[in-house]
Every structure is written in C-alpha cells, then in structure tokens.
C-alpha cells in the first residue's frame, strides 16, 4: 500500500481578495415579516458587476497559486485520463433489424451515436451523430435521442456550452441527412413517435416551452406544453398550416414538467405531469383512435384525456402495453413501489379503484424498473423486474399474466455481484431478450444480455478501451451501517485497496489496519439513489492508498419514498445529521480521522457539504463543494430554483423560511472576522451552469474568507471557476482536469501521497462485498 505523507499545503498564498460587506438587513418574508436576514454579499449575485468581475479575477489568481503547490496533481491527471480511456458503451435500442446505441471510443471527448444494420457482408456500423463534428471545440453535448418506431428517422437533441438548452433535429437514418429542425426551447424534452403509415408524414409528441414573447418576466424558462409535431413542418406555424398542435398543459402550473409516451400501435397517449420537483405526479391517458388505423383518430385538435391518477400524493406513471393492458407504476400506498394493471377500455375507469397489483410492494427492496418479454419463442410471457436493496441491484423474473415470481432459481437473475443496473429494456415489438447496463465500484460499465429461453446472462458489449486502462487495484467494498442522531440506520459503501486490510475478510468492524485519507461523498435529495458505480476519480484516489465512501442519506430513495420524504422540507436537517453520523463513524471505527477526512458533494450535495462545514467545521480537514446551492433564502430567484420549492420549501412562506434559515450555509457562516477555524474549502463552479447559479459559491466563498481564522497557507478557502461548461455533461478532457484539481486539493490537505508509483496488483481489479 502506498504510504501517506503529512499534509503539504501551500507555504504561502496571496491574501484573500477584498470583498465589501454591505450593511444590508431585510425583514423577511416581505409579505409577513418575521426574520431579520443579513445579506452582506448581495453584490456578488451580479456576475457583470465590475466589483464581481474584479473579485472573480483575483480568486482565479489565488486558485492558480494554490494549485501550483499540490504535489502529484499532474500524475493523478494522467491516471484519471488513463482510467477514462476505457470509453463507454450504452445498451442497444432496437428498431427492427437496426440497432442504435451510444459509444465513446478511447481518446474521444464525447460519445457518438451509432447505428448497426445488416449489410451484404455482415453488420455495418455507421456514425449518425458526433458532437465533435458539430463543434470541434468540444462544448456541444448530445442530450437525448429517440429513433422512430420504424427506425428510419432519428430525433436528436444537442446543447452548447453547458446550457442544457437543447435544440432538436431529425435526420434520415439511411442517408444521415438532417430533414427537420432546428427546433429550440426543448430543455428536458421527451420525444415519443407515432407509427408512420405509408401515406402519412412522420409525427411525434414532444415537450417545448412557449415562446418568451408575452410571458411574465423571469418565467421564460418555464411554461412547457406537450405538442404534436409533423416532421418537416414549421413548428411555429398555425396548426391549420401544418404547425405544431398543442396537446396538453395549458391549465397546468407554470413550472410543470411532462413525460410523454405512446403505445406501440399508436392508439394510446400517456402524459405524466409533476410540478417542479414535487414528489408526486399526475397521469392522464388519451385514446387517439381505435382498430388497426392506430392514431388515425387524432385530428388537428387536442385529444381528450381521462385521468389515471390526478391529485394523489404519489408518483404515478402509466402506459399501455403490447397486450393491451394499462401498466401503472406507483408508490400510492406503497412507498417502495408497486406495479399494477388495468383495462384501459373497461367500464371501471382508469383510476386506483380499477388497478390490480401485478407486482406488489416488497418490504426489503425498492421497485425501480421492469421489462416485458413476450416473444413467440417463450412458453409464456415473462416480466423482468429491477429492484434495489439498500441501493444494490436485484433482478427477478415473473409470470406476466399473474405477476407471480417464478419459483427457485428461475425467479431470480444471478447478477455478477453487488452493483447497479440501468436502462433495462427489450425489443419494442416483443422478444425473448433483455439488455441492461451493469457497473460496480471497480467495474467499468458494460452491457449484459439476458435470454429468457435459457436463463443465461452474458456480456453483450464492453467499453472499447479496457486494455488501455492498465492494471487496476484489487479493492474491497464494504457496506457500513451507521446510527444517525435520531436512531435511524444509515448505510454507506466504503471502498479501499485490498492490501489496506490485514486479510481478505478485513480487521475488526471491517476497517483497514490503519486510518486512511478518505473522501466521503453524499447527495441526499430529490429521491436520488446513490447506487454503486464506477468512478475514475474514486478509483484513482483508492489506488493511491485512500478510501472512498458514498453515503445513502435520507432525502434519497435508497429505502423508498418514505426515506426521501424523511429528508426534505422541514426534515432536511435529517440529511445533514445522517452525513455527519457517517463521518463520525468512519473516525470512530478506524477508517480515517478528522485530519484525514474530505467531504464532497455537488449541486444538492453541495448544499449538503455546505451545511456540514458550517455546522461541524471541526469534523473534517477539507471540503469539496461543487456547483452548490448555498443561499437558501434567495435560491428560488435564480437558475431553476423556482422548481425546487417542493423539495426545500418556499422562502415566501414564514414557516418554511424558518426551515431554510435553520441550515442555510451562507447564513450559518459566522459574521465575525477570523472567528471560526474552518476547514480547507474548494468551491468549483461553471459559468454555463443554468441550473445552480455560481453566485451561491461566490457568496459563501467571500463569507468564509472573512470568517475563517485558519491560516490561508494551511487551510485555504478557494474558488475554481470554469467557462464553457455547465451543470451536467462535459468533455472527458475537462472531467480529467477537474478531477486532478479536486483530488490534488484533497490530497494536499489530508496527507495522501499522489506522487508514488504503486498502481495495484490484480489486472482487471476486483471487489468483495
């Protein structure tokens, strides 16, 4: 195991840039004042203010000075690049004999979208969409894509500079020619094609915002609608002239998001709605026609919808399957999820009273996904169901008609080990095969294929550059159980090199023989489950001799919707308590020490670590806070903040503002100069981020630099900003540079030696549960 060294922070740094503290105190909320709230750095909200421009430039210089002192940074950049050189591959999407998938080859900054189709001498592969061909600078990303039902057309969405403002185009798959678009205002837009008759134009349903002209100021990012689009037509023309037909959404709240899905025959259209990030959704179903003509009944007006689930305090989605049954996925009365069926044409209607459970709720696992396998090669149609048990994937096999799990080994797919699956799918027209991606903490994602005829699970595709990764370390993964402040059991996955332990089974309590420099990562929000997955950044840290721990906190869905709701709104402090309990347990059980611990989180996870560092600044040596949400009094006024009030609360409500003020990191930071010994902090922000405005990090960075009494040379507060990239997808080369900076910072302040040459022992790596 590589030795650790003493922390090697900067010997000297330029002074913190001066930042004026305004004497600004407001009585809030304005409608019913209850609190006096100070906001000394309000001016840093305006990125164009000349004071902000000068301050940001000075922070850039400060960061560069610190960065130059981090030993091993270039070495770890090289190793992360090597670990990412494997590339990646997605599951196949079949349309007849054509297979569509994304793949990133080694040395490429972005994945390409490919099609494989029969040729005279065997399968022929062609590139359909290459983001680098659209933008050689690498700032354009492929956000979404969807082939038509027949596979002859492809709708794809690109965005630039990290904006996530997608623009849709349609290309002819045979020729590669763009035949429709660009269509703008498509952020987060699903696309669902209708079947195409020989004499009709191709059509699809999609989600697009209204034109900004005439909308209230500040609401231009909202006001989505579901539309029917005809390929080749001007979407902004009048419907009578072939333009888009508004199908749904005029009576919905302005922050509503939509899901859209059509049945294989084109007869049924399902629309789901959720107001912002609300933990509940409505579902509506429309009969577009009947008989063999499918959608022929859809004319130039909106279809008539019937409610499947409206006004219920639950997530619900629905769609009509190939067998004509309505499949309803819901957590209504079942926080861990259940799958029900109904007759969409029956006299009982479509609501909950008509549903019959096909796969009921389990007490020990959360229902995540399913796929129907009903090809003629099978003795009977089957249902494949994906679950997570404490965030680890399971896959079960059921009779499609009754929902009963098959007996014995036939009822369970033996997965490769503790890991995660995603993208579970079969052929849209039916068949006996299912595909899904598979990954674990030390395994690059691959695509597995399950054959329902034989029960065989095989590798269908692997990342194309596995051989370029070099030797990988043998690692041990342990699932730790920790008791939070209120007695709740919280789980975390801890990963370290196998040779950090005394034997394969590990020492007492599963801890390594000596404390390790450790990164503790968390999220805890929006029902997002932290499942095991490959991370080049994490593996590079572990390979160098550290431990990497991912906590499954309340606010996520590791244990279902009740787990999510136990960490939102007035209960948000539970998330921070869970995280701090894991941090304390890691030190108590010998995994690490406070002087060797870095906490890390991004977006809502940035809020998590921001709250942790202001509530318990003595519990860690370093903090990595990326694209964070930190000013919880004004978060709704910026980025997409208005959509998040169902998760956090509304600052205009006096009671809910009280929840927010109780933990808001910006407001929890000490107002007094040099008053608290804060840990070393690195904020990373992205100028193209249209979800979480970088103003949050700017304001807390200035507040911490004012309040910390830590020596800047030993525990600095730094801001790393990056232009031309946003909150989500980015070029691989940019990910490498970001990982090198964050790992270099964490290592310098926790004593991990990134300069050594030890790279592990077992080719291909390994993991034990």
């Amino acid at each position: 195991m590589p030795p650790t060294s003493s922390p090697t922070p900067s010997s000297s740094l330029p002074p913190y840039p001066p930042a004026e503290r305004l004497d600004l105190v407001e009585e809030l909320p304005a409608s019913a004042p209850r609190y006096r709230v100070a906001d000394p750095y309000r001016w840093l909200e305006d990125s164009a203010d000349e004071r902000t421009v000068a301050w940001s430039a000075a922070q850039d210089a400060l960061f560069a000075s610190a960065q130059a002192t981090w030993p091993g940074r270039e070495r770890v950049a090289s190793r992360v690049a090597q670990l990412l050189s494997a590339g990646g591959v997605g599951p196949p999407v079949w349309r007849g004999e054509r297979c569509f998938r994304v793949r990133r080859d080694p040395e490429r900054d972005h994945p390409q979208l490919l099609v494989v189709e029969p040729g005279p001498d065997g399968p022929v592969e062609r590139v359909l969409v290459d983001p680098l061909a659209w933008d050689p600078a690498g700032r354009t990303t492929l956000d979404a894509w969807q082939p038509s039902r027949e596979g002859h057309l492809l709708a794809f969405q690109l965005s630039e500079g990290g904006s996530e403002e997608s623009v849709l185009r349609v290309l002819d798959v045979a020729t590669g020619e763009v035949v429709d678009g660009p269509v703008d205002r498509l952020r987060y837009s699903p696309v669902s094609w209708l079947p195409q008759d020989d004499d009709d134009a191709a059509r699809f349903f999609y989600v697009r915002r209204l034109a900004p002209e005439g909308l209230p100021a500040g609401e231009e990012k909202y006001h989505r609608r579901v539309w029917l689009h005809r390929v080749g037509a001007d979407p902004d023309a009048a419907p009578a002239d072939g333009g888009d037909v508004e199908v749904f959404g005029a009576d919905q709240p302005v922050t509503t998001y939509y899901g859209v899905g059509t049945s294989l025959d084109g007869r049924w259209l399902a629309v789901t709605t959720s107001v912002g990030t609300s933990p509940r959704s409505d579902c509506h179903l429309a009969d577009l026609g009947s008989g063999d003509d499918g959608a022929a009944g859809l004319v130039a007006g909106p279809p008539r919808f019937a409610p499947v689930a409206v006004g219920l305090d639950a997530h619900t989605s629905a769609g009509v399957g190939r067998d004509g049954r309505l499949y309803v996925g819901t957590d209504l009365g079942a926080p861990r999820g259940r799958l029900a069926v109904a007759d969409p044409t029956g006299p009982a209607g479509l609501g909950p009273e008509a549903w019959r459970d096909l796969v009921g709720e389990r007490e020990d696992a959360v229902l995540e996904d399913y796929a129907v396998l009903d090809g003629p090669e099978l003795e009977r149609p089957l249902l494949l169901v994906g679950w997570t048990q404490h965030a680890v994937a399971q896959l079960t096999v059921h009779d499609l008609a009754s929902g009963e799990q098959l007996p014995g080994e036939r009822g369970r797919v033996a997965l490769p080990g503790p890991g995660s699956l995603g993208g579970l799918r079969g052929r849209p027209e039916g068949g006996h095969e299912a595909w899904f991606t598979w990954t674990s903490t030390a395994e690059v994602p691959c695509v597995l294929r399950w054959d329902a005829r034989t029960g065989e699970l095989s590798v269908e595709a692997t990342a194309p550059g596995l051989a370029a990764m070099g030797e990988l370390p043998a690692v041990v993964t342990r699932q730790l159980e920790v008791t939070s402040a209120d007695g709740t059991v919280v789980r975390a996955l801890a990963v370290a090199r196998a040779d950090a332990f005394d034997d394969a089974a590990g020492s007492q309590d599963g801890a390594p023989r000596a404390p390790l420099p450790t990164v503790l990562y968390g999220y805890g929000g929006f029902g997002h489950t932290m499942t095991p997955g490959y991370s080049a950044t994490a593996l590079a840290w572990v390979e160098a001799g550290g431990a990497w721990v991912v906590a499954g906190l309340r606010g996520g869905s590791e244990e279902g919707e009740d787990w999510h709701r136990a960490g939102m709104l007035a209960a948000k402090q539970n998330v921070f308590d869970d995280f701090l309990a894991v941090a304390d347990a890691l030190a108590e059980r010998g995994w690490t020490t406070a002087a060797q611990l870095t906490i890390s989180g991004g977006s809502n996870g940035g809020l998590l670590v921001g709250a942790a560092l202001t509530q318990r600044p003595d519990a860690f040596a370093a903090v990595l806070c990326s694209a964070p949400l930190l000013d919880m009094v004004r978060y709704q006024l910026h980025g997409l903040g208005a959509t998040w009030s169902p998760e956090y609360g509304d600052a205009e409500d006096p009671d809910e503002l009280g929840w927010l003020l109780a933990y808001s990191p910006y407001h929890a930071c000490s107002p007094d100069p040099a008053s608290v010994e804060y840990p070393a902090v690195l904020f990373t922000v992205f100028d193209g981020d249209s979800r979480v405005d970088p103003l949050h990090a700017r304001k807390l960075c200035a507040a911490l630099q004012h309040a910390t009494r830590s020596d800047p040379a030993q525990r600095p507060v730094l801001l790393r900003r990056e232009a031309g990239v946003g909150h989500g997808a980015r070029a691989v080369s940019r990910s490498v540079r970001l990982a090198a900076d964050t790992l270099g910072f964490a290592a310098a302040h926790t004593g991990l030696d990134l300069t050594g040459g030890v790279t592990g022992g077992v080719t291909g790596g390994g993991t034990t549960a």
Side-chain angles (χ1 to χ4, degrees):
M1 178 179 120
T4 59
S5 64
S6 299
T8 53
S10 311
S11 58
S12 64
L13 285 177
Y16 289 137
E20 179 187 4
R21 285 182 63 86
L22 305 177
D23 186 19
L24 174 60
V25 178
E26 296 176 307
E27 300 280 345
L28 297 175
S31 59
R34 184 182 296 180
Y35 304 96
R36 288 177 54 80
V37 181
D39 190 358
Y41 298 108
R42 175 76 60 84
W43 57 274
L44 280 170
E45 291 184 358
D46 184 358
S47 61
D49 187 301
E50 61 181 15
R51 296 172 296 173
T52 304
V53 172
W55 182 88
S56 298
Q59 295 292 344
D60 294 344
L62 177 65
F63 172 76
S65 296
Q67 178 197 56
T69 69
W70 299 334
R73 179 183 165 278
E74 293 304 321
R75 185 182 188 87
V76 79
S78 176
R79 185 56 176 144
V80 170
Q82 187 180 19
L83 291 170
L84 287 172
S85 67
V89 62
V93 175
W94 288 95
R95 294 294 186 268
E97 295 187 316
R98 280 181 168 143
C99 172
F100 301 82
R101 73 185 332 148
V102 293
R103 188 180 71 212
R104 185 178 66 81
D105 292 329
E107 311 303 326
R108 290 193 61 85
D109 250 353
H110 289 281
Q112 298 171 308
L113 175 57
L114 313 170
V115 63
V116 180
E117 54 198 343
D121 300 317
V124 177
E125 177 183 286
R126 292 186 290 116
V127 175
L128 293 178
V129 182
D130 179 0
L132 290 172
W134 288 82
D135 174 17
R139 297 190 301 173
T140 294
T141 57
L142 177 62
D143 298 331
W145 54 278
Q146 187 67 244
S148 65
R149 293 296 170 87
E150 299 76 20
H152 66 299
L153 295 172
L154 176 85
F156 65 100
Q157 300 174 47
L158 300 173
S159 64
E160 301 176 357
S163 69
E164 300 181 315
E165 286 291 339
S166 300
V167 174
L168 179 142
R169 298 172 176 84
V170 177
L171 60 77
D172 183 302
V173 173
T175 65
E177 177 187 0
V178 173
V179 296
D180 192 18
V183 183
D184 62 359
R185 308 196 303 270
L186 260 74
R187 182 176 193 146
Y188 308 147
S189 175
V191 170
S192 187
W193 290 86
L194 284 166
Q196 184 179 4
D197 295 330
D198 291 340
D199 298 330
D200 292 339
R203 295 175 296 169
F204 58 77
F205 295 100
Y206 75 127
V207 176
R208 188 188 189 204
R209 297 196 307 270
L210 296 178
E213 295 78 19
L215 295 179
E219 295 186 3
E220 297 84 359
K221 299 176 183 178
Y222 311 122
H223 292 277
R224 296 170 181 84
R225 300 285 191 274
V226 178
W227 307 86
L228 176 65
H229 177 72
R230 181 167 58 86
V231 172
D234 178 0
D236 296 316
D241 298 325
D244 285 0
V245 177
E246 184 177 329
V247 172
F248 193 91
D251 59 347
Q252 298 293 309
V254 299
T255 58
T256 299
Y257 291 105
Y258 300 91
V260 179
T262 52
S263 59
L264 184 67
D265 62 5
R267 174 176 176 178
W268 300 96
L269 169 64
V271 173
T272 58
T273 67
S274 60
V275 179
T277 57
S278 173
R280 57 193 63 85
S281 57
D282 290 349
C283 186
H284 308 258
L285 187 71
D287 188 346
L288 304 181
S290 59
D292 296 334
D293 57 356
L298 183 63
V299 293
R304 297 177 62 181
F305 285 89
V308 177
V310 176
L312 306 176
D313 187 17
H315 279 299
T316 304
S317 61
V320 176
R322 293 185 293 269
D323 57 5
R325 294 191 296 184
L326 178 68
Y327 287 78
V328 181
T330 185
D331 57 21
L332 180 65
R336 293 176 181 267
R338 61 187 172 108
L339 179 63
V341 291
D343 180 357
T345 63
L350 303 174
E353 64 281 353
W355 305 348
R356 174 182 67 83
D357 272 6
L358 188 63
V359 178
E361 182 185 30
R362 283 174 52 178
E363 294 182 356
D364 64 337
V366 179
L367 197 156
E368 298 285 357
D369 204 355
Y370 70 92
V372 172
L373 303 181
D374 56 358
E377 307 89 346
L378 301 177
E379 294 180 2
R380 55 176 168 172
L382 298 175
L383 180 70
L384 201 57
V385 182
W387 311 81
T388 56
Q389 186 177 48
H390 308 321
V392 175
Q394 295 181 351
L395 201 55
T396 57
V397 187
H398 303 250
D399 177 83
L400 180 63
S402 67
E404 292 183 5
Q405 186 173 347
L406 301 190
E409 294 183 0
R410 297 171 56 210
R412 188 177 295 272
V413 177
L415 297 173
S420 306
L421 65 83
L424 179 64
R425 62 182 58 143
R427 291 180 182 266
E429 70 275 11
H432 61 275
E433 302 162 289
W435 294 266
F436 56 90
T437 57
W438 174 260
T439 182
S440 71
T441 52
E443 294 174 286
V444 177
C446 66
V447 178
L448 300 183
R449 171 186 173 272
W450 187 71
D451 190 326
R453 299 171 302 178
T454 64
E456 178 186 6
L457 185 67
S458 58
V459 177
E460 188 266 344
T462 60
L466 289 175
M469 297 172 63
E471 286 190 319
L472 302 182
V475 304
V476 167
T477 302
R478 285 195 163 62
Q479 190 169 66
L480 311 178
E481 292 189 357
V482 173
T483 301
S484 191
D486 63 356
T488 299
V489 174
V490 177
R491 293 172 177 85
L493 286 173
V495 187
R497 288 171 54 111
D499 58 10
F501 300 86
D502 286 328
D503 52 49
S507 57
Q508 187 177 3
D509 294 328
R513 72 175 66 90
L516 304 175
T518 296
V519 174
L520 170 60
Y521 182 85
Y523 189 78
F526 299 98
H528 179 64
T529 301
M530 301 301 295
T531 55
Y534 176 81
S535 164
T537 302
L539 194 56
W541 180 267
V542 168
E543 184 176 70
W548 194 279
V549 182
V550 179
L553 313 170
R554 281 176 285 187
S557 284
E558 287 82 357
E559 307 298 333
E561 180 58 24
D562 283 350
W563 189 254
H564 170 210
R565 297 193 184 201
M568 57 183 283
L569 297 174
K572 188 67 177 175
Q573 182 60 39
N574 286 337
V575 185
F576 315 136
D577 289 344
D578 292 352
F579 192 62
L580 292 166
V582 175
D584 289 342
L586 290 171
E588 292 165 1
R589 299 179 190 181
W591 278 84
T592 191
T593 64
Q596 294 173 290
L597 181 59
T598 297
I599 58 171
S600 175
S603 193
N604 173 76
L607 168 61
L608 167 69
V609 298
L613 85 90
T614 51
Q615 292 181 17
R616 287 280 306 282
D618 61 327
F620 349 92
V623 178
L624 296 171
C625 187
S626 183
L629 191 65
L630 298 167
D631 180 348
M632 299 307 294
V633 172
R634 292 173 60 80
Y635 81 93
Q636 293 164 269
L637 305 178
H638 307 281
L640 295 180
T643 65
W644 306 329
S645 57
E647 181 79 11
Y648 298 125
D650 183 355
E652 291 300 314
D653 179 283
D655 293 332
E656 297 182 15
L657 177 59
W659 308 339
L660 296 165
L661 277 171
Y663 65 81
S664 177
Y666 174 59
H667 300 91
C669 185
S670 172
D672 301 322
S675 57
V676 177
E677 191 171 343
Y678 285 106
V681 181
L682 175 60
F683 296 100
T684 58
V685 296
F686 316 106
D687 286 353
D689 193 338
S690 57
R691 288 194 232 174
V692 182
D693 196 295
L695 69 88
H696 289 273
R698 290 196 295 265
K699 292 175 74 172
L700 185 56
C701 178
L704 285 171
Q705 289 178 347
H706 168 80
T708 188
R709 72 166 180 262
S710 298
D711 182 349
Q714 300 297 316
R715 289 189 164 192
V717 176
L718 304 171
L719 179 70
R720 178 196 189 273
R721 62 178 182 141
E722 188 175 354
V725 69
H727 199 84
R730 58 174 49 224
V732 171
S733 57
R734 286 180 175 268
S735 296
V736 168
R737 294 194 293 271
L738 178 60
D741 285 341
T742 55
L743 294 186
F745 173 85
H749 295 286
T750 59
L752 184 64
D753 182 7
L754 298 179
T755 65
V758 180
T759 59
V762 181
T763 301
T767 181
T768 62

